[in-house]
mmCIF file with all atom_site columns, all heavy atoms in Angstrom:
data_model
loop_
_atom_site.group_PDB
_atom_site.id
_atom_site.type_symbol
_atom_site.label_atom_id
_atom_site.label_alt_id
_atom_site.label_comp_id
_atom_site.label_asym_id
_atom_site.label_entity_id
_atom_site.label_seq_id
_atom_site.pdbx_PDB_ins_code
_atom_site.Cartn_x
_atom_site.Cartn_y
_atom_site.Cartn_z
_atom_site.occupancy
_atom_site.B_iso_or_equiv
_atom_site.pdbx_formal_charge
_atom_site.auth_seq_id
_atom_site.auth_comp_id
_atom_site.auth_asym_id
_atom_site.auth_atom_id
_atom_site.pdbx_PDB_model_num
ATOM 1   N N   . ARG A 1 1  ? 158.779 -4.728  30.585 1.00 98.00 ? 1  ARG A N   1
ATOM 2   C CA  . ARG A 1 1  ? 157.929 -3.945  31.390 1.00 98.00 ? 1  ARG A CA  1
ATOM 3   C C   . ARG A 1 1  ? 156.560 -3.866  30.835 1.00 98.00 ? 1  ARG A C   1
ATOM 4   O O   . ARG A 1 1  ? 155.652 -3.739  31.517 1.00 98.00 ? 1  ARG A O   1
ATOM 5   C CB  . ARG A 1 1  ? 158.602 -2.552  31.390 1.00 98.00 ? 1  ARG A CB  1
ATOM 6   C CG  . ARG A 1 1  ? 157.737 -1.398  32.154 1.00 98.00 ? 1  ARG A CG  1
ATOM 7   C CD  . ARG A 1 1  ? 157.712 -1.683  33.670 1.00 98.00 ? 1  ARG A CD  1
ATOM 8   N NE  . ARG A 1 1  ? 157.311 -0.432  34.366 1.00 98.00 ? 1  ARG A NE  1
ATOM 9   C CZ  . ARG A 1 1  ? 156.642 -0.525  35.575 1.00 98.00 ? 1  ARG A CZ  1
ATOM 10  N NH1 . ARG A 1 1  ? 156.381 -1.665  36.114 1.00 98.00 ? 1  ARG A NH1 1
ATOM 11  N NH2 . ARG A 1 1  ? 156.233 0.737   36.034 1.00 98.00 ? 1  ARG A NH2 1
ATOM 12  N N   . TYR A 1 2  ? 156.506 -4.073  29.480 1.00 98.00 ? 2  TYR A N   1
ATOM 13  C CA  . TYR A 1 2  ? 155.216 -4.030  28.794 1.00 98.00 ? 2  TYR A CA  1
ATOM 14  C C   . TYR A 1 2  ? 154.668 -5.374  28.465 1.00 98.00 ? 2  TYR A C   1
ATOM 15  O O   . TYR A 1 2  ? 153.722 -5.512  27.663 1.00 98.00 ? 2  TYR A O   1
ATOM 16  C CB  . TYR A 1 2  ? 155.240 -3.176  27.521 1.00 98.00 ? 2  TYR A CB  1
ATOM 17  C CG  . TYR A 1 2  ? 155.261 -1.631  27.795 1.00 98.00 ? 2  TYR A CG  1
ATOM 18  C CD1 . TYR A 1 2  ? 156.390 -1.014  28.224 1.00 98.00 ? 2  TYR A CD1 1
ATOM 19  C CD2 . TYR A 1 2  ? 154.130 -0.847  27.828 1.00 98.00 ? 2  TYR A CD2 1
ATOM 20  C CE1 . TYR A 1 2  ? 156.406 0.276   28.539 1.00 98.00 ? 2  TYR A CE1 1
ATOM 21  C CE2 . TYR A 1 2  ? 154.216 0.433   28.057 1.00 98.00 ? 2  TYR A CE2 1
ATOM 22  C CZ  . TYR A 1 2  ? 155.398 1.074   28.482 1.00 98.00 ? 2  TYR A CZ  1
ATOM 23  O OH  . TYR A 1 2  ? 155.450 2.400   28.777 1.00 98.00 ? 2  TYR A OH  1
ATOM 24  N N   . GLY A 1 3  ? 155.325 -6.409  28.906 1.00 98.00 ? 3  GLY A N   1
ATOM 25  C CA  . GLY A 1 3  ? 154.913 -7.778  28.720 1.00 98.00 ? 3  GLY A CA  1
ATOM 26  C C   . GLY A 1 3  ? 155.091 -8.187  27.291 1.00 98.00 ? 3  GLY A C   1
ATOM 27  O O   . GLY A 1 3  ? 154.381 -9.115  26.732 1.00 98.00 ? 3  GLY A O   1
ATOM 28  N N   . THR A 1 4  ? 156.194 -7.673  26.575 1.00 98.00 ? 4  THR A N   1
ATOM 29  C CA  . THR A 1 4  ? 156.570 -8.159  25.282 1.00 98.00 ? 4  THR A CA  1
ATOM 30  C C   . THR A 1 4  ? 157.828 -8.900  25.371 1.00 98.00 ? 4  THR A C   1
ATOM 31  O O   . THR A 1 4  ? 158.815 -8.375  25.980 1.00 98.00 ? 4  THR A O   1
ATOM 32  C CB  . THR A 1 4  ? 156.804 -6.943  24.417 1.00 98.00 ? 4  THR A CB  1
ATOM 33  O OG1 . THR A 1 4  ? 155.534 -6.156  24.261 1.00 98.00 ? 4  THR A OG1 1
ATOM 34  C CG2 . THR A 1 4  ? 157.365 -7.284  23.003 1.00 98.00 ? 4  THR A CG2 1
ATOM 35  N N   . LEU A 1 5  ? 157.917 -10.060 24.911 1.00 98.00 ? 5  LEU A N   1
ATOM 36  C CA  . LEU A 1 5  ? 159.008 -11.004 25.159 1.00 98.00 ? 5  LEU A CA  1
ATOM 37  C C   . LEU A 1 5  ? 160.203 -10.643 24.159 1.00 98.00 ? 5  LEU A C   1
ATOM 38  O O   . LEU A 1 5  ? 160.049 -10.666 23.001 1.00 98.00 ? 5  LEU A O   1
ATOM 39  C CB  . LEU A 1 5  ? 158.593 -12.458 24.851 1.00 98.00 ? 5  LEU A CB  1
ATOM 40  C CG  . LEU A 1 5  ? 157.487 -12.953 25.848 1.00 98.00 ? 5  LEU A CG  1
ATOM 41  C CD1 . LEU A 1 5  ? 157.146 -14.447 25.478 1.00 98.00 ? 5  LEU A CD1 1
ATOM 42  C CD2 . LEU A 1 5  ? 157.891 -12.849 27.261 1.00 98.00 ? 5  LEU A CD2 1
ATOM 43  N N   . PRO A 1 6  ? 161.395 -10.294 24.747 1.00 98.00 ? 6  PRO A N   1
ATOM 44  C CA  . PRO A 1 6  ? 162.506 -10.127 24.010 1.00 98.00 ? 6  PRO A CA  1
ATOM 45  C C   . PRO A 1 6  ? 163.150 -11.208 23.341 1.00 98.00 ? 6  PRO A C   1
ATOM 46  O O   . PRO A 1 6  ? 163.201 -12.300 23.951 1.00 98.00 ? 6  PRO A O   1
ATOM 47  C CB  . PRO A 1 6  ? 163.455 -9.252  24.990 1.00 98.00 ? 6  PRO A CB  1
ATOM 48  C CG  . PRO A 1 6  ? 163.065 -9.676  26.241 1.00 98.00 ? 6  PRO A CG  1
ATOM 49  C CD  . PRO A 1 6  ? 161.633 -10.046 26.226 1.00 98.00 ? 6  PRO A CD  1
ATOM 50  N N   . ILE A 1 7  ? 163.719 -11.092 22.127 1.00 98.00 ? 7  ILE A N   1
ATOM 51  C CA  . ILE A 1 7  ? 164.381 -12.104 21.360 1.00 98.00 ? 7  ILE A CA  1
ATOM 52  C C   . ILE A 1 7  ? 165.764 -11.383 21.144 1.00 98.00 ? 7  ILE A C   1
ATOM 53  O O   . ILE A 1 7  ? 165.929 -10.473 20.386 1.00 98.00 ? 7  ILE A O   1
ATOM 54  C CB  . ILE A 1 7  ? 163.784 -12.499 20.098 1.00 98.00 ? 7  ILE A CB  1
ATOM 55  C CG1 . ILE A 1 7  ? 162.395 -13.161 20.263 1.00 98.00 ? 7  ILE A CG1 1
ATOM 56  C CG2 . ILE A 1 7  ? 164.646 -13.425 19.301 1.00 98.00 ? 7  ILE A CG2 1
ATOM 57  C CD1 . ILE A 1 7  ? 161.610 -13.455 19.023 1.00 98.00 ? 7  ILE A CD1 1
ATOM 58  N N   . VAL A 1 8  ? 166.768 -11.923 21.870 1.00 98.00 ? 8  VAL A N   1
ATOM 59  C CA  . VAL A 1 8  ? 168.110 -11.140 21.821 1.00 98.00 ? 8  VAL A CA  1
ATOM 60  C C   . VAL A 1 8  ? 169.247 -12.218 21.615 1.00 98.00 ? 8  VAL A C   1
ATOM 61  O O   . VAL A 1 8  ? 169.094 -13.346 21.767 1.00 98.00 ? 8  VAL A O   1
ATOM 62  C CB  . VAL A 1 8  ? 168.389 -10.606 23.348 1.00 98.00 ? 8  VAL A CB  1
ATOM 63  C CG1 . VAL A 1 8  ? 167.199 -9.716  23.710 1.00 98.00 ? 8  VAL A CG1 1
ATOM 64  C CG2 . VAL A 1 8  ? 168.444 -11.586 24.408 1.00 98.00 ? 8  VAL A CG2 1
ATOM 65  N N   . ARG A 1 9  ? 170.350 -11.620 21.080 1.00 98.00 ? 9  ARG A N   1
ATOM 66  C CA  . ARG A 1 9  ? 171.654 -12.322 21.125 1.00 98.00 ? 9  ARG A CA  1
ATOM 67  C C   . ARG A 1 9  ? 172.233 -12.069 22.564 1.00 98.00 ? 9  ARG A C   1
ATOM 68  O O   . ARG A 1 9  ? 172.344 -11.010 23.056 1.00 98.00 ? 9  ARG A O   1
ATOM 69  C CB  . ARG A 1 9  ? 172.495 -11.826 20.025 1.00 98.00 ? 9  ARG A CB  1
ATOM 70  C CG  . ARG A 1 9  ? 173.852 -12.485 20.104 1.00 98.00 ? 9  ARG A CG  1
ATOM 71  C CD  . ARG A 1 9  ? 174.772 -12.245 18.968 1.00 98.00 ? 9  ARG A CD  1
ATOM 72  N NE  . ARG A 1 9  ? 176.125 -12.831 19.197 1.00 98.00 ? 9  ARG A NE  1
ATOM 73  C CZ  . ARG A 1 9  ? 177.112 -12.082 19.700 1.00 98.00 ? 9  ARG A CZ  1
ATOM 74  N NH1 . ARG A 1 9  ? 176.927 -10.833 20.150 1.00 98.00 ? 9  ARG A NH1 1
ATOM 75  N NH2 . ARG A 1 9  ? 178.277 -12.717 19.892 1.00 98.00 ? 9  ARG A NH2 1
ATOM 76  N N   . ARG A 1 10 ? 172.632 -13.185 23.191 1.00 97.00 ? 10 ARG A N   1
ATOM 77  C CA  . ARG A 1 10 ? 173.168 -13.123 24.518 1.00 97.00 ? 10 ARG A CA  1
ATOM 78  C C   . ARG A 1 10 ? 174.537 -12.527 24.631 1.00 97.00 ? 10 ARG A C   1
ATOM 79  O O   . ARG A 1 10 ? 175.493 -13.310 24.790 1.00 97.00 ? 10 ARG A O   1
ATOM 80  C CB  . ARG A 1 10 ? 173.048 -14.500 25.223 1.00 97.00 ? 10 ARG A CB  1
ATOM 81  C CG  . ARG A 1 10 ? 171.501 -14.921 25.255 1.00 97.00 ? 10 ARG A CG  1
ATOM 82  C CD  . ARG A 1 10 ? 171.375 -16.201 26.121 1.00 97.00 ? 10 ARG A CD  1
ATOM 83  N NE  . ARG A 1 10 ? 172.001 -17.343 25.533 1.00 97.00 ? 10 ARG A NE  1
ATOM 84  C CZ  . ARG A 1 10 ? 171.939 -18.544 26.197 1.00 97.00 ? 10 ARG A CZ  1
ATOM 85  N NH1 . ARG A 1 10 ? 171.281 -18.718 27.315 1.00 97.00 ? 10 ARG A NH1 1
ATOM 86  N NH2 . ARG A 1 10 ? 172.466 -19.580 25.561 1.00 97.00 ? 10 ARG A NH2 1
ATOM 87  N N   . THR A 1 11 ? 174.520 -11.210 24.569 1.00 96.00 ? 11 THR A N   1
ATOM 88  C CA  . THR A 1 11 ? 175.916 -10.502 24.686 1.00 96.00 ? 11 THR A CA  1
ATOM 89  C C   . THR A 1 11 ? 175.599 -9.373  25.612 1.00 96.00 ? 11 THR A C   1
ATOM 90  O O   . THR A 1 11 ? 174.485 -8.870  25.800 1.00 96.00 ? 11 THR A O   1
ATOM 91  C CB  . THR A 1 11 ? 176.325 -9.981  23.272 1.00 96.00 ? 11 THR A CB  1
ATOM 92  O OG1 . THR A 1 11 ? 177.494 -9.269  23.532 1.00 96.00 ? 11 THR A OG1 1
ATOM 93  C CG2 . THR A 1 11 ? 175.329 -8.986  22.858 1.00 96.00 ? 11 THR A CG2 1
ATOM 94  N N   . GLY A 1 12 ? 176.703 -8.945  26.332 1.00 95.00 ? 12 GLY A N   1
ATOM 95  C CA  . GLY A 1 12 ? 176.518 -7.791  27.359 1.00 95.00 ? 12 GLY A CA  1
ATOM 96  C C   . GLY A 1 12 ? 175.340 -7.927  28.303 1.00 95.00 ? 12 GLY A C   1
ATOM 97  O O   . GLY A 1 12 ? 175.075 -8.951  28.855 1.00 95.00 ? 12 GLY A O   1
ATOM 98  N N   . GLY A 1 13 ? 174.692 -6.872  28.462 1.00 96.00 ? 13 GLY A N   1
ATOM 99  C CA  . GLY A 1 13 ? 173.600 -6.698  29.417 1.00 96.00 ? 13 GLY A CA  1
ATOM 100 C C   . GLY A 1 13 ? 172.394 -7.494  28.969 1.00 96.00 ? 13 GLY A C   1
ATOM 101 O O   . GLY A 1 13 ? 171.474 -7.798  29.715 1.00 96.00 ? 13 GLY A O   1
ATOM 102 N N   . LEU A 1 14 ? 172.322 -7.889  27.562 1.00 98.00 ? 14 LEU A N   1
ATOM 103 C CA  . LEU A 1 14 ? 171.235 -8.670  27.177 1.00 98.00 ? 14 LEU A CA  1
ATOM 104 C C   . LEU A 1 14 ? 171.276 -10.096 27.831 1.00 98.00 ? 14 LEU A C   1
ATOM 105 O O   . LEU A 1 14 ? 170.252 -10.588 28.199 1.00 98.00 ? 14 LEU A O   1
ATOM 106 C CB  . LEU A 1 14 ? 171.195 -8.808  25.619 1.00 98.00 ? 14 LEU A CB  1
ATOM 107 C CG  . LEU A 1 14 ? 171.264 -7.545  24.846 1.00 98.00 ? 14 LEU A CG  1
ATOM 108 C CD1 . LEU A 1 14 ? 171.423 -7.804  23.328 1.00 98.00 ? 14 LEU A CD1 1
ATOM 109 C CD2 . LEU A 1 14 ? 169.835 -6.741  25.145 1.00 98.00 ? 14 LEU A CD2 1
ATOM 110 N N   . LYS A 1 15 ? 172.408 -10.552 28.030 1.00 97.00 ? 15 LYS A N   1
ATOM 111 C CA  . LYS A 1 15 ? 172.570 -11.916 28.711 1.00 97.00 ? 15 LYS A CA  1
ATOM 112 C C   . LYS A 1 15 ? 172.138 -11.734 30.208 1.00 97.00 ? 15 LYS A C   1
ATOM 113 O O   . LYS A 1 15 ? 171.648 -12.711 30.804 1.00 97.00 ? 15 LYS A O   1
ATOM 114 C CB  . LYS A 1 15 ? 173.969 -12.348 28.569 1.00 97.00 ? 15 LYS A CB  1
ATOM 115 C CG  . LYS A 1 15 ? 174.213 -13.789 29.117 1.00 97.00 ? 15 LYS A CG  1
ATOM 116 C CD  . LYS A 1 15 ? 175.621 -14.292 28.805 1.00 97.00 ? 15 LYS A CD  1
ATOM 117 C CE  . LYS A 1 15 ? 175.873 -15.686 29.351 1.00 97.00 ? 15 LYS A CE  1
ATOM 118 N NZ  . LYS A 1 15 ? 177.194 -16.239 29.007 1.00 97.00 ? 15 LYS A NZ  1
ATOM 119 N N   . ASP A 1 16 ? 172.551 -10.626 30.767 1.00 97.00 ? 16 ASP A N   1
ATOM 120 C CA  . ASP A 1 16 ? 172.177 -10.417 32.237 1.00 97.00 ? 16 ASP A CA  1
ATOM 121 C C   . ASP A 1 16 ? 170.748 -10.226 32.430 1.00 97.00 ? 16 ASP A C   1
ATOM 122 O O   . ASP A 1 16 ? 170.211 -10.535 33.579 1.00 97.00 ? 16 ASP A O   1
ATOM 123 C CB  . ASP A 1 16 ? 172.997 -9.204  32.788 1.00 97.00 ? 16 ASP A CB  1
ATOM 124 C CG  . ASP A 1 16 ? 174.437 -9.421  32.946 1.00 97.00 ? 16 ASP A CG  1
ATOM 125 O OD1 . ASP A 1 16 ? 174.791 -10.471 33.423 1.00 97.00 ? 16 ASP A OD1 1
ATOM 126 O OD2 . ASP A 1 16 ? 175.246 -8.555  32.548 1.00 97.00 ? 16 ASP A OD2 1
ATOM 127 N N   . SER A 1 17 ? 169.991 -9.601  31.495 1.00 97.00 ? 17 SER A N   1
ATOM 128 C CA  . SER A 1 17 ? 168.609 -9.217  31.841 1.00 97.00 ? 17 SER A CA  1
ATOM 129 C C   . SER A 1 17 ? 167.536 -10.118 31.151 1.00 97.00 ? 17 SER A C   1
ATOM 130 O O   . SER A 1 17 ? 166.466 -10.104 31.551 1.00 97.00 ? 17 SER A O   1
ATOM 131 C CB  . SER A 1 17 ? 168.385 -7.815  31.273 1.00 97.00 ? 17 SER A CB  1
ATOM 132 O OG  . SER A 1 17 ? 168.679 -7.682  29.881 1.00 97.00 ? 17 SER A OG  1
ATOM 133 N N   . VAL A 1 18 ? 167.927 -10.921 30.259 1.00 98.00 ? 18 VAL A N   1
ATOM 134 C CA  . VAL A 1 18 ? 166.858 -11.851 29.560 1.00 98.00 ? 18 VAL A CA  1
ATOM 135 C C   . VAL A 1 18 ? 167.274 -13.337 29.847 1.00 98.00 ? 18 VAL A C   1
ATOM 136 O O   . VAL A 1 18 ? 168.253 -13.829 29.634 1.00 98.00 ? 18 VAL A O   1
ATOM 137 C CB  . VAL A 1 18 ? 166.924 -11.641 28.060 1.00 98.00 ? 18 VAL A CB  1
ATOM 138 C CG1 . VAL A 1 18 ? 165.952 -12.630 27.316 1.00 98.00 ? 18 VAL A CG1 1
ATOM 139 C CG2 . VAL A 1 18 ? 166.570 -10.236 27.716 1.00 98.00 ? 18 VAL A CG2 1
ATOM 140 N N   . ILE A 1 19 ? 166.270 -14.026 30.571 1.00 97.00 ? 19 ILE A N   1
ATOM 141 C CA  . ILE A 1 19 ? 166.435 -15.382 30.871 1.00 97.00 ? 19 ILE A CA  1
ATOM 142 C C   . ILE A 1 19 ? 165.843 -16.218 29.809 1.00 97.00 ? 19 ILE A C   1
ATOM 143 O O   . ILE A 1 19 ? 164.614 -16.210 29.596 1.00 97.00 ? 19 ILE A O   1
ATOM 144 C CB  . ILE A 1 19 ? 165.765 -15.761 32.233 1.00 97.00 ? 19 ILE A CB  1
ATOM 145 C CG1 . ILE A 1 19 ? 166.345 -14.824 33.398 1.00 97.00 ? 19 ILE A CG1 1
ATOM 146 C CG2 . ILE A 1 19 ? 165.920 -17.199 32.503 1.00 97.00 ? 19 ILE A CG2 1
ATOM 147 C CD1 . ILE A 1 19 ? 165.646 -15.042 34.661 1.00 97.00 ? 19 ILE A CD1 1
ATOM 148 N N   . ASN A 1 20 ? 166.706 -16.891 29.035 1.00 97.00 ? 20 ASN A N   1
ATOM 149 C CA  . ASN A 1 20 ? 166.239 -17.592 27.853 1.00 97.00 ? 20 ASN A CA  1
ATOM 150 C C   . ASN A 1 20 ? 165.166 -18.789 28.119 1.00 97.00 ? 20 ASN A C   1
ATOM 151 O O   . ASN A 1 20 ? 165.677 -19.579 29.034 1.00 97.00 ? 20 ASN A O   1
ATOM 152 C CB  . ASN A 1 20 ? 167.398 -18.102 27.086 1.00 97.00 ? 20 ASN A CB  1
ATOM 153 C CG  . ASN A 1 20 ? 166.985 -19.031 25.924 1.00 97.00 ? 20 ASN A CG  1
ATOM 154 O OD1 . ASN A 1 20 ? 166.150 -18.624 25.155 1.00 97.00 ? 20 ASN A OD1 1
ATOM 155 N ND2 . ASN A 1 20 ? 167.668 -20.187 25.753 1.00 97.00 ? 20 ASN A ND2 1
ATOM 156 N N   . TYR A 1 21 ? 164.214 -18.881 27.499 1.00 97.00 ? 21 TYR A N   1
ATOM 157 C CA  . TYR A 1 21 ? 163.254 -20.023 27.550 1.00 97.00 ? 21 TYR A CA  1
ATOM 158 C C   . TYR A 1 21 ? 163.792 -21.161 26.700 1.00 97.00 ? 21 TYR A C   1
ATOM 159 O O   . TYR A 1 21 ? 163.880 -20.995 25.477 1.00 97.00 ? 21 TYR A O   1
ATOM 160 C CB  . TYR A 1 21 ? 161.894 -19.688 27.222 1.00 97.00 ? 21 TYR A CB  1
ATOM 161 C CG  . TYR A 1 21 ? 160.981 -20.828 27.272 1.00 97.00 ? 21 TYR A CG  1
ATOM 162 C CD1 . TYR A 1 21 ? 160.744 -21.588 28.494 1.00 97.00 ? 21 TYR A CD1 1
ATOM 163 C CD2 . TYR A 1 21 ? 160.258 -21.439 26.168 1.00 97.00 ? 21 TYR A CD2 1
ATOM 164 C CE1 . TYR A 1 21 ? 159.911 -22.714 28.638 1.00 97.00 ? 21 TYR A CE1 1
ATOM 165 C CE2 . TYR A 1 21 ? 159.442 -22.501 26.303 1.00 97.00 ? 21 TYR A CE2 1
ATOM 166 C CZ  . TYR A 1 21 ? 159.283 -23.175 27.588 1.00 97.00 ? 21 TYR A CZ  1
ATOM 167 O OH  . TYR A 1 21 ? 158.556 -24.336 27.638 1.00 97.00 ? 21 TYR A OH  1
ATOM 168 N N   . ASP A 1 22 ? 164.063 -22.291 27.290 1.00 93.00 ? 22 ASP A N   1
ATOM 169 C CA  . ASP A 1 22 ? 164.664 -23.427 26.499 1.00 93.00 ? 22 ASP A CA  1
ATOM 170 C C   . ASP A 1 22 ? 163.817 -24.603 26.590 1.00 93.00 ? 22 ASP A C   1
ATOM 171 O O   . ASP A 1 22 ? 164.227 -25.710 26.215 1.00 93.00 ? 22 ASP A O   1
ATOM 172 C CB  . ASP A 1 22 ? 166.092 -23.802 27.025 1.00 93.00 ? 22 ASP A CB  1
ATOM 173 C CG  . ASP A 1 22 ? 166.137 -24.118 28.483 1.00 93.00 ? 22 ASP A CG  1
ATOM 174 O OD1 . ASP A 1 22 ? 165.097 -24.297 29.066 1.00 93.00 ? 22 ASP A OD1 1
ATOM 175 O OD2 . ASP A 1 22 ? 167.252 -24.151 29.007 1.00 93.00 ? 22 ASP A OD2 1
ATOM 176 N N   . GLY A 1 23 ? 162.545 -24.457 27.036 1.00 91.00 ? 23 GLY A N   1
ATOM 177 C CA  . GLY A 1 23 ? 161.628 -25.572 27.224 1.00 91.00 ? 23 GLY A CA  1
ATOM 178 C C   . GLY A 1 23 ? 161.475 -26.145 28.561 1.00 91.00 ? 23 GLY A C   1
ATOM 179 O O   . GLY A 1 23 ? 160.571 -26.934 28.795 1.00 91.00 ? 23 GLY A O   1
ATOM 180 N N   . GLY A 1 24 ? 162.441 -25.874 29.425 1.00 86.00 ? 24 GLY A N   1
ATOM 181 C CA  . GLY A 1 24 ? 162.410 -26.505 30.650 1.00 86.00 ? 24 GLY A CA  1
ATOM 182 C C   . GLY A 1 24 ? 162.471 -25.519 31.886 1.00 86.00 ? 24 GLY A C   1
ATOM 183 O O   . GLY A 1 24 ? 162.517 -26.017 33.042 1.00 86.00 ? 24 GLY A O   1
#
């Protein structure tokens, strides 16, 4: 919401809400 990029382990709702940048 504040334009700060999350760095998360993809578990639970973290996987649902953060779309990982993988270069492509």
Side-chain angles (χ1 to χ4, degrees):
R1 176 73 162 148
Y2 285 81
T4 297
L5 298 178
I7 298 173
V8 304
R9 178 173 172 265
R10 295 192 295 184
T11 182
L14 301 178
K15 185 174 182 178
D16 288 314
S17 56
V18 177
I19 302 173
N20 173 47
Y21 179 61
D22 59 11

